[in-house]
Amino acid sequence: MSGIDDDIRADFLIEAGELLDRLGEQLVDLERTPDDRELLNAVFRAFHTVKGGAGFLNLTAMVALCHIAEEVFGMLRAGQRSMTPELMDATMQSLDQLVSMMAEVAAGNEPTPAPETLLAALRAHAKTAPPVAVVAPKALAPKPKARKPAKASPAADPVADPDGISDDEFEALLDQLHGTAPVQAVSAAPASDTISEDEFEKLLDLYHGNGAPGAAIPVVVQGFDSVKAKPATEVHAKPSPPGRGENSTAPTAETTVRVDTTRLDQMMNLVGELVLVRNRLKTLRGKHATAEAFAKSVGELDHITRSLQDAVMKIRMQPIKKVFSKFPKLARDVARGLGKQVDVELIGEDTDLDKNLVEALADPLVHMVRNSVDHGIELPAARAAAGKPAIGKLVLAAVAQGDHILISVRDDGAGIDPEKLRRKVVEKGLMDATLAARLTSDECLQLVFMAGFSTKEQVSDLSGRGVGMDVVKSKIVALNGSVSIESKIGQGSCVKLRVPLTLAILPALMVAVGQRLLALPLADVFDVFALDETRLRRLDQWQAVLYRNTTLRLIDLQQWSNSQGPSSDAPRHVVVAQANGERYGFIVHTVKAREEVVIKPLGLGLRGLAGLAGATVTGEGRVALIVDFPGLVRAWSTRLHGMPVF
């Protein structure tokens, strides 16, 4: 990778990465509708464009693979070959190889060539695919002043369009530029200032430097002056600036965000208003303004700050489609390897959430999708015997719920037997038989999230249901989220994730427990009431109180936080909040106010403690700990019973 400019490489990684992301969806759709002309063109163009960028960067392995794939899809577009399952498998493997190569390029390494078995399989589907000679260009030739048309048919009528160049002629020109055919002069009568879309795309290869070494190619195309390509042996990649080189770390696509300019304009306007209010406050301070005038300015400042905060959050937002788009191909690959069939439906792809959350959710969702296909959806014969369609159904859905987002992965497979889980947890010695017998069917289902419940020590490529689900849950909890599972035997299962829209700002209810400040996530809070000490009861080692005709289990935050409370006769309050699908009462001393807090990570001394999700600094300069309700309930249950509540 020596001599390659990091900025150019970063641009290539962004553009090619987006193309490959879309390519996975397009290939799955193409497998359903193999005669779809638009899809064939889109797939061809993706391989073609990635090849061009890779050729400019002298990434020979990527160029070679893309060239063969492009050759095959050129034949498919021309109707010279039809799509087959074997060809689709080879194309999917090619995509996987390109993604791996992209990761190597991002790490600053030369991409590993594709396996010869894969290249041979692709060549078997193509007319010819001789080796591609790639030499990095010294500089791009001046871009011709030609107007690219909106759309044009490659097969131009010589009578209606005498200035056109035939499709075969331009294909021949493309081969010459790639060094795969004898060099010949291709000419067309100069006249019109437009060329077809395909001609424009193919001509770009000339400026990517993919011509045969030492060959000078005279080209005269409609509307162009004579262009003579320099011998490829004379061209070199743009030299790296001082301080950059082979060992420098390449920036990745994940470090950038594309922003709509209207959002930037909105932020700029808000910053301008913020400056005006600041100036007004400085003026009021100098004039000893009245309390009313000062309060009005502070109110304006609060409004603008909230609006600016919202604008910044929107800039960080990305559609969850960035993650969802990978799963049709993933599910297809897993299902095909198991002899199964699956149809993936995506719902709510345009739902926005924090960029960091989009990235953090990728691994847990991959694991859940694999589980559903591997151990949820049955083989076609078993589905037919159960009166189901041979093709299984997998639905990924996302929906915004206030300041949280609910993501579900649902399959119509065999479902999970809660009684088997009950027996298994006892057999593995993770729970006493008496305690296990008292679990409800729904509580049994949540056992799959229990650490050590899996029979395997590590997650396999085709994970069984329950394998590593404790890791999935820990990752979701680390995002201040929660996860649960629902299932019916013979009808399927559904895993639900609930995560905040952003990891930066949290609406919280500020409370005091003794001298300690705590921030309770407001989205999970349902009610607050004064505790009548005379109505306290014991329920299975829990403190409980009657609340709206139901028994509410209580957790005393004073004991949990090990803080010294006020005098014994001071009133206490109960904050009713939801954790793991159930409501609990959290006993506090004082309920202060609602605030939007900025989440800060915990220090090393507190990191990993059950029931803590982070910390924040209040307007008074005090540190408040942010409570993680599900983690706190699990820790409290373990303290009482020696077993967690899921």
Side-chain angles (χ1 to χ4, degrees):
M1 300 296 292
S2 176
I4 295 178
D5 186 89
D6 286 346
D7 293 335
I8 298 176
R9 179 172 42 176
D11 289 341
F12 168 73
L13 289 170
I14 294 173
E15 299 295 336
E18 291 178 354
L19 284 171
L20 295 180
D21 283 344
R22 288 197 298 269
L23 189 55
E25 293 181 85
Q26 291 163 348
L27 289 175
V28 173
D29 291 340
L30 186 62
E31 190 169 34
R32 299 192 191 103
T33 56
D35 297 325
D36 189 316
R37 184 80 182 171
E38 290 187 8
L39 280 174
L40 286 171
N41 289 336
V43 173
F44 174 87
R45 188 155 312 179
F47 283 119
H48 177 76
T49 306
V50 173
K51 180 185 72 175
F56 180 74
L57 294 175
N58 198 23
L59 304 174
T60 311
M62 292 188 73
V63 172
L65 180 56
C66 288
H67 179 72
I68 301 175
E70 179 189 27
E71 188 89 5
V72 174
F73 275 86
M75 296 180 66
L76 289 169
R77 291 200 312 166
Q80 298 172 341
R81 183 173 296 281
S82 59
M83 178 60 70
T84 64
E86 293 75 21
L87 174 55
M88 181 56 72
D89 287 343
T91 307
M92 291 287 192
Q93 292 173 31
S94 301
L95 175 57
D96 292 338
Q97 285 293 321
L98 288 173
V99 171
S100 298
M101 291 178 182
M102 290 281 289
E104 292 178 295
V105 174
N109 302 319
E110 187 73 22
T112 304
E116 183 57 36
T117 53
L118 174 59
L119 297 177
L122 288 172
R123 290 191 190 106
H125 294 283
K127 275 192 295 191
T128 56
V132 181
V134 179
V135 179
K138 181 177 182 181
L140 291 177
K143 187 173 182 179
K145 297 180 180 180
R147 179 168 59 87
K148 182 179 178 181
K151 198 70 177 177
S153 172
D157 184 348
V159 177
D161 184 13
D163 304 322
I165 177 172
S166 73
D167 197 35
D168 289 341
E169 288 173 334
F170 223 98
E171 288 287 348
L173 175 61
L174 179 63
D175 286 339
Q176 293 163 19
L177 297 178
H178 284 296
T180 60
V183 177
Q184 298 176 355
V186 180
S187 63
S192 172
D193 65 343
T194 65
I195 60 174
S196 76
E197 187 174 14
D198 281 353
E199 291 165 358
F200 188 88
E201 293 274 351
K202 295 167 184 174
L203 187 62
L204 288 181
D205 277 344
L206 171 63
Y207 305 105
H208 286 145
N210 290 342
I217 306 177
V219 182
V220 182
V221 183
Q222 54 201 56
F224 286 80
D225 293 331
S226 178
V227 179
K228 191 167 186 178
K230 293 184 179 180
T233 52
E234 297 180 4
V235 247
H236 305 280
K238 178 181 176 182
S240 294
R244 292 180 179 177
E246 186 173 350
N247 297 324
S248 61
T249 302
T252 65
E254 301 305 327
T255 60
T256 63
V257 178
R258 294 192 176 188
V259 181
D260 190 334
T261 55
T262 58
R263 292 184 175 180
L264 291 177
D265 293 340
Q266 181 188 14
M267 280 188 61
M268 196 65 232
N269 292 336
L270 289 170
V271 170
E273 292 183 28
L274 195 62
V275 171
L276 293 176
V277 174
R278 180 202 64 185
N279 294 341
R280 192 175 307 154
L281 285 172
K282 291 172 66 176
T283 302
L284 290 174
R285 182 183 62 181
K287 293 182 177 180
H288 305 288
T290 63
E292 181 180 356
F294 194 78
K296 181 179 179 181
S297 294
V298 170
E300 293 176 1
L301 179 63
D302 179 65
H303 173 73
I304 295 171
T305 304
R306 287 176 184 272
S307 300
L308 184 59
Q309 171 189 312
D310 183 61
V312 173
M313 284 175 58
K314 287 180 178 178
I315 286 181
R316 289 177 56 90
M317 293 296 183
Q318 288 186 346
I320 200 171
K321 181 179 182 180
K322 182 178 180 183
V323 176
F324 274 14
S325 62
K326 302 176 182 178
F327 294 129
K329 178 182 180 298
L330 173 67
R332 180 261 181 203
D333 291 345
V334 174
R336 186 160 176 79
L338 296 169
K340 300 179 180 180
Q341 300 178 52
V342 61
D343 182 29
V344 179
E345 181 181 358
L346 305 179
I347 300 175
E349 299 172 84
D350 296 329
T351 304
D352 287 337
L353 69 162
D354 191 284
K355 173 182 179 289
N356 292 337
L357 273 170
V358 171
E359 297 164 3
L361 286 171
D363 286 344
L365 287 174
V366 163
H367 190 80
M368 289 157 57
V369 168
R370 283 177 170 167
N371 274 346
S372 292
V373 178
D374 186 10
H375 278 259
I377 294 174
E378 313 94 325
L379 288 166
R383 292 181 62 86
K388 296 181 179 180
I391 302 177
K393 186 77 172 179
L394 182 64
V395 180
L396 281 82
V399 60
Q401 295 182 336
D403 56 0
H404 278 65
I405 182 173
L406 180 66
I407 302 170
S408 61
V409 179
R410 183 184 301 275
D411 66 66
D412 67 345
I416 304 175
D417 186 349
E419 295 306 318
K420 288 184 178 179
L421 299 181
R422 192 194 307 273
R423 291 194 300 269
K424 184 176 180 180
V425 76
V426 175
E427 290 171 2
K428 295 183 67 66
L430 297 175
M431 186 178 295
D432 180 82
T434 304
L435 293 175
R438 290 158 54 186
L439 296 176
T440 65
S441 295
D442 183 65
E443 289 173 334
C444 285
L445 292 175
Q446 313 313 313
L447 291 173
V448 297
F449 299 114
M450 195 173 185
F453 184 76
S454 167
T455 56
K456 297 183 181 179
E457 294 182 358
Q458 59 184 3
V459 178
S460 63
D461 195 43
L462 293 178
S463 305
R465 189 177 296 276
V467 176
M469 290 300 284
D470 59 318
V471 178
V472 170
K473 181 155 190 172
S474 65
K475 288 185 177 181
I476 298 303
V477 170
L479 300 174
N480 300 326
S482 61
V483 57
S484 62
I485 189 168
E486 301 172 355
S487 183
K488 291 185 178 180
I489 298 177
Q491 298 183 29
S493 304
C494 180
V495 181
K496 295 182 178 180
L497 310 179
R498 189 169 182 268
V499 294
L501 288 175
T502 177
L503 298 177
I505 305 294
L506 175 72
L509 181 66
M510 305 302 295
V511 301
V513 178
Q515 300 300 314
R516 180 161 294 163
L517 282 179
L518 298 176
L520 310 183
L522 194 61
D524 297 316
V525 174
F526 289 90
D527 196 6
V528 177
F529 63 88
L531 177 62
D532 184 349
E533 305 283 349
T534 64
R535 302 181 65 184
L536 286 175
R537 299 289 185 270
R538 303 295 298 183
L539 175 65
D540 190 24
Q541 300 185 49
W542 287 80
Q543 270 193 323
V545 67
L546 188 65
Y547 167 75
R548 296 185 179 179
N549 299 322
T550 62
T551 302
L552 187 69
R553 289 181 284 186
L554 302 176
I555 296 176
D556 190 344
L557 293 185
Q558 180 179 344
Q559 296 183 35
W560 170 74
S561 62
N562 196 27
S563 62
Q564 185 174 358
S567 59
S568 58
D569 59 345
R572 298 194 294 174
H573 295 80
V574 175
V575 177
V576 182
Q578 180 162 309
N580 304 313
E582 292 190 28
R583 293 186 182 184
Y584 294 85
F586 298 85
I587 301 177
V588 302
H589 294 126
T590 308
V591 178
K592 292 185 171 291
R594 176 195 183 280
E595 287 187 18
E596 288 191 336
V597 301
V598 179
I599 303 174
K600 300 293 183 182
L602 294 169
L604 292 177
L606 296 176
R607 196 170 299 166
L609 289 181
L612 293 181
T616 189
V617 179
T618 69
E620 301 169 344
R622 297 181 61 187
V623 174
L625 297 176
I626 301 173
V627 171
D628 164 34
F629 286 131
L632 179 55
V633 170
R634 285 196 302 274
W636 194 264
S637 176
T638 302
R639 175 181 176 181
L640 294 179
H641 303 288
M643 58 167 281
V645 170
F646 296 94

